[in-house]
């Protein structure tokens, strides 16, 4: 990889964001109705290659059930309002009505309430009772504390998600989560991340994870780049982690770990390009924050927005454009790629000549100037 000179004492790789690449049509095209966008992780098959970002503004037990019915997967954030309050609906309405200048401070106050362990089991049971796949998210810091309650409640898929998750966390204050031992002892598939480099992804894959999240999450509501200076453009990050998946398959004798692009997936074109770079599925938040059913009432925020010491996210207003079904499957009433996400993905795959997700990962890409 070509190194670019930043200055006499520092060089760096040139990396690419999703909006800096384009997809190249092949010699054939297909009928969009004959394209499959289904994917499977462990024993669970989904008709849509979408894992919804576990944020209170997007995922409630009710929306998790509806998204599951539509063919996607929506993990509930077990460190959010649904496990802190019996009925968080009034607080969600308040979060949407906050003045922008006061939003961060008030979010910190609302989320300062303790997590109630009995609510964890109740929320999981509510989702499971509907018949859809039940998935939940915990941060690495709280996984050890609450994982037994989660497993006892019968969760199907466990997501361990943080801004940056490594297999080698070093701490002199507390015993860190041993991911390899933890995942080995569980009877459910675990998705873990985020990561953004080949080396970090390879280490996470060696823990036994069923899937790895690529990116730092948050997307439009994230301010990690401004606060911490940490950033790896998504096209490069996904491609690097996809290469780690290939290398791990060789190393492990064929074990396949799913790559899920997490963050910056604002339009249907972004979703297509993420899969083209090697993702098996994408984690999206902001497009679904625009749904009429979204708990955030047209606003969007993640767990980073209410961090008690160093907030690295903000509450963003998106408004409402339609129902969850319209955003996933159309019909669309706008021309900006924010509705009928799956119809657009099928059309992209058909236009470039590919019939399923694994084939589409082989599509040719080019570096294309950003057009505004």
């Amino acid at each position: 990889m070509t190194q670019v000179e930043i200055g006499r004492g520092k060089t760096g790789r040139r990396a690419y964001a999703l909006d800096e690449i384009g997809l190249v049509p092949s010699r054939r095209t297909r009928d969009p109705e004959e394209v499959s966008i289904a994917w499977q992780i462990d024993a669970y098959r989904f008709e849509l290659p979408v894992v919804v970002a576990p944020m209170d503004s997007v995922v409630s037990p009710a929306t998790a059930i509806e998204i599951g019915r539509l063919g996607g997967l929506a993990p509930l954030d077990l460190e959010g309002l649904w496990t802190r309050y019996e009925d968080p609906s009034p607080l969600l309405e308040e979060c949407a009505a906050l003045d922008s200048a006061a939003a961060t401070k008030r979010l910190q106050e609302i989320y300062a309430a303790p997590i109630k362990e009995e609510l964890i089991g109740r929320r999981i049971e509510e989702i499971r009772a509907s018949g859809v796949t039940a998935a939940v998210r915990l941060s690495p810091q709280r996984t050890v504390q609450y994982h037994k309650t989660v497993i006892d409640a019968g969760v199907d898929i466990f997501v361990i998600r943080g801004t940056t998750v490594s297999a080698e966390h070093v701490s002199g204050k507390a015993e860190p989560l041993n991911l390899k031992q933890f995942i080995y002892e569980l009877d459910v598939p675990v998705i873990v991340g985020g990561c953004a480099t080949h080396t970090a992804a390879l280490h996470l894959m060696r823990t036994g994870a069923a899937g790895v999240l690529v990116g730092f999450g948050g997307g439009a509501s994230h301010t990690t780049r401004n606060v911490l200076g940490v950033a790896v453009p998504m096209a490069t990050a996904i491609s690097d982690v996809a290469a780690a998946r290939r290398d791990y398959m060789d190393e492990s004798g064929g074990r396949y770990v799913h790559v899920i692009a997490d963050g910056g997936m604002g339009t249907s074109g972004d979703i297509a390009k993420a899969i083209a770079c090697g993702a098996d599925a994408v984690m999206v938040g902001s497009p679904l924050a625009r749904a009429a059913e979204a708990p955030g009432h047209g606003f969007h925020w993640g767990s980073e927005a209410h961090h008690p010491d160093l907030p690295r996210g903000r509450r963003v207003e998106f408004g409402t454009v339609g129902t969850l079904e319209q955003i996933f499957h159309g019909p669309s009433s706008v021309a900006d790629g924010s509705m009928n996400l799956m119809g657009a993905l099928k059309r992209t795959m058909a236009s470039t000549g590919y019939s399923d997700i694994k084939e589409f990962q082989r599509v040719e890409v080019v570096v294309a100037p950003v057009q505004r």
Side-chain angles (χ1 to χ4, degrees):
M1 182 66 70
T2 303
Q3 295 286 314
V4 177
E5 185 178 286
I6 309 298
R8 293 192 178 187
K10 181 68 72 173
T11 61
R13 279 200 303 155
R14 172 69 168 94
Y16 296 95
L18 291 173
D19 61 3
E20 293 180 279
I21 68 168
L23 309 182
V24 181
S26 67
R27 62 182 176 85
R28 68 165 61 91
T29 56
R30 297 181 181 274
D31 186 331
E33 296 304 316
E34 297 177 1
V35 168
S36 171
I37 56 174
W39 74 300
Q40 181 164 329
I41 183 167
D42 203 83
Y44 302 97
R45 176 184 167 90
F46 303 96
E47 295 306 312
L48 311 181
V50 174
V51 182
V52 180
M55 299 177 172
D56 280 342
S57 54
V58 180
V59 182
S60 65
T63 58
I65 292 168
E66 176 64 7
I67 290 163
R69 186 185 70 79
L70 292 170
L73 177 67
L76 183 71
D77 184 9
L78 295 185
E79 297 173 34
L81 298 180
W82 291 95
T83 56
R84 298 175 192 265
Y85 299 92
E86 290 279 347
D87 180 13
S89 300
L91 290 168
L92 287 163
E93 293 177 7
E94 181 186 348
C95 290
L98 290 172
D99 177 76
S100 296
T104 298
K105 186 174 187 300
R106 181 57 182 146
L107 285 172
Q108 288 174 316
E109 294 170 350
I110 291 171
Y111 282 88
I115 294 171
K116 297 176 181 176
E117 202 156 343
E118 67 272 15
L119 287 178
I120 292 177
R122 196 184 309 172
R123 303 308 186 200
I124 295 172
E125 289 166 7
E126 181 180 347
I127 297 169
R128 278 183 56 83
S130 72
V132 305
T133 302
V136 297
R137 172 265 176 188
L138 282 170
S139 66
Q141 294 82 3
R142 287 200 165 105
T143 293
V144 172
Q145 183 178 359
Y146 294 118
H147 79 275
K148 189 175 186 306
T149 302
V150 171
I151 299 302
D152 289 347
V155 75
D156 296 311
I157 296 177
F158 201 144
V159 179
I160 302 174
R161 181 181 187 247
T163 302
T164 304
V165 178
S166 75
E168 297 183 10
H169 180 66
V170 178
S171 174
K173 296 182 178 179
E175 184 68 25
L177 173 64
N178 185 325
L179 273 175
K180 188 170 186 177
Q181 178 181 343
F182 176 78
I183 292 173
Y184 177 78
E185 292 174 353
L186 291 182
D187 289 329
V188 301
V190 176
I191 298 171
V192 63
C195 67
T197 68
H198 178 280
T199 300
L202 194 56
H203 280 257
L204 287 179
M205 291 172 184
R206 288 168 178 161
T207 66
V212 170
L213 297 171
V214 185
F216 303 116
S221 65
H222 221 290
T223 60
T224 296
R225 180 169 184 166
N226 294 336
V227 177
L228 301 182
V230 175
V232 181
M234 282 296 286
T236 296
I238 297 166
S239 300
D240 283 352
V241 175
R245 174 183 60 204
R246 178 197 62 214
D247 293 344
Y248 179 69
M249 282 186 69
D250 291 340
E251 173 188 301
S252 63
R255 184 174 181 270
Y256 189 91
V257 178
H258 293 269
V259 173
I260 302 167
D262 179 11
M265 245 51 57
T267 66
S268 53
D270 294 331
I271 293 172
K273 287 188 279 189
I275 294 173
C277 286
D280 298 290
V282 298
M283 180 169 275
V284 298
S286 58
L288 302 178
R290 298 179 172 95
E293 304 96 322
H297 303 281
F299 285 81
H300 187 44
W301 66 92
S303 58
E304 300 85 4
H306 53 76
H307 192 281
D309 302 315
L310 189 65
R312 301 181 301 283
R314 58 177 178 266
R315 190 199 57 156
V316 181
E317 182 175 7
F318 286 114
T320 301
V321 296
T323 64
L324 282 168
E325 185 158 9
Q326 288 174 317
I327 291 171
F328 276 126
H329 298 300
S332 174
S333 58
V334 296
D336 60 2
S338 64
M339 295 183 72
N340 197 2
L341 302 177
M342 298 298 100
L345 175 59
K346 283 186 174 183
R347 188 166 294 275
T348 300
M349 291 170 62
S351 298
T352 52
Y354 296 93
S355 61
D356 60 41
I357 294 292
K358 295 308 299 178
E359 278 193 0
F360 185 54
Q361 290 172 346
R362 299 198 298 266
V363 67
E364 181 183 354
V365 302
V366 293
V367 177
V370 179
Q371 296 181 346
R372 299 298 184 191

